[in-house]
Amino acid sequence: QTFIMESIKEFIKSWKKKSDPVFDDYYAFVKKGYRKILASKEETVKVEYFDVSRYIVALEHYTSAGTYGYLLNSRETIDVVDNRFIVFEVDQVKGDDNYPLILLIIVDAFLEKMRKSPDFKTFVIEEAWKALMHPHMAAFIMEIWKVARKHRTSAVVVTQELNDITSSEVVKDTIIANSSVKI
């Protein structure tokens, strides 16, 4: 993990272009520049500590030519705070190992919007059971329900079964107690 953090720091230091970097830029840096940095170190980086070749193979999925290339390679700036309507469609990544991380990033983006925007907002989680099953997501959802009204926000979960909500100990009382409308 130290090598990954170091590679990101080195990439940021070396970035000299005027546009914001995308994932392909980081991938190219790791493939060429960071590999040279590791090779030039006095101590040899042993493969059991950090296998840069395997790391590069893992990164390939997120390049523009990879399976998830559409996620991290847009040069278009998307401002989630100022845009009036945003839909995050996560069905394409639901089987991915990074699914919980992707959901947490989305929820964090909404929390930022919720706190900064004076306009009325609605946060809707479709197929809520998927999110409620993960303890970290359930904790985020619990936080949203507790503070939503203070920030002119309506928080909504959509699910076909009431048991989806009541089976999660983390959010059961929070959602039921803090929702003004239950259908």
Side-chain angles (χ1 to χ4, degrees):
Q1 207 173 22
T2 306
F3 294 108
I4 294 171
M5 290 184 336
E6 180 186 322
S7 73
I8 294 168
K9 288 177 186 175
E10 291 294 331
F11 170 68
I12 291 169
K13 277 195 252 178
S14 71
W15 188 253
K16 294 182 180 18
K17 296 184 181 175
K18 292 184 182 188
S19 64
D20 289 334
V22 293
F23 192 80
D24 283 350
D25 301 320
Y26 172 69
Y27 174 76
F29 170 78
V30 171
K31 199 169 181 180
K32 295 179 183 137
Y34 191 60
R35 189 177 275 203
K36 288 178 186 173
I37 290 170
L38 287 176
S40 70
K41 290 190 174 226
E42 287 181 29
E43 327 154 349
T44 323
V45 177
K46 294 183 180 177
V47 172
E48 64 251 23
Y49 296 124
F50 183 69
D51 186 345
V52 72
S53 298
R54 287 184 70 180
Y55 182 56
I56 289 168
V57 169
L59 295 179
E60 286 175 358
H61 296 290
Y62 299 93
T63 63
S64 56
T67 310
Y68 304 112
Y70 62 92
L71 292 173
L72 303 172
N73 286 295
S74 174
R75 293 211 185 265
E76 181 181 331
T77 302
I78 300 170
D79 185 356
V80 296
V81 175
D82 292 332
N83 282 343
R84 291 186 48 84
F85 186 76
I86 302 166
V87 174
F88 294 101
E89 183 62 53
V90 295
D91 276 350
Q92 293 183 13
V93 293
K94 68 183 170 191
D96 188 84
D97 291 339
N98 294 321
Y99 182 69
L101 178 63
I102 293 166
L103 289 178
L104 291 174
I105 291 168
I106 291 169
V107 171
D108 186 59
F110 182 79
L111 288 173
E112 181 180 344
K113 181 180 184 79
M114 184 175 71
R115 290 186 174 108
K116 289 184 177 179
S117 174
D119 299 328
F120 183 77
K121 294 139 312 263
T122 302
F123 182 70
V124 179
I125 302 174
E126 175 77 27
E127 294 294 328
W129 63 272
K130 293 176 187 174
L132 296 174
M133 293 306 136
H134 195 278
H136 295 301
M137 270 304 293
F140 266 111
I141 291 168
M142 187 172 76
E143 180 183 343
I144 287 172
W145 257 261
K146 286 184 175 183
V147 300
R149 287 178 291 163
K150 297 173 190 167
H151 297 284
R152 295 193 53 179
T153 301
S154 174
V156 179
V157 290
V158 178
T159 184
Q160 294 180 9
E161 301 290 330
L162 181 60
N163 193 33
D164 294 342
I165 297 168
T166 59
S167 65
S168 172
E169 291 299 321
V170 177
V171 296
K172 173 175 68 174
D173 296 331
T174 305
I175 289 177
I176 293 171
N178 293 305
S179 294
S180 55
V181 177
K182 301 164 194 81
I183 299 174

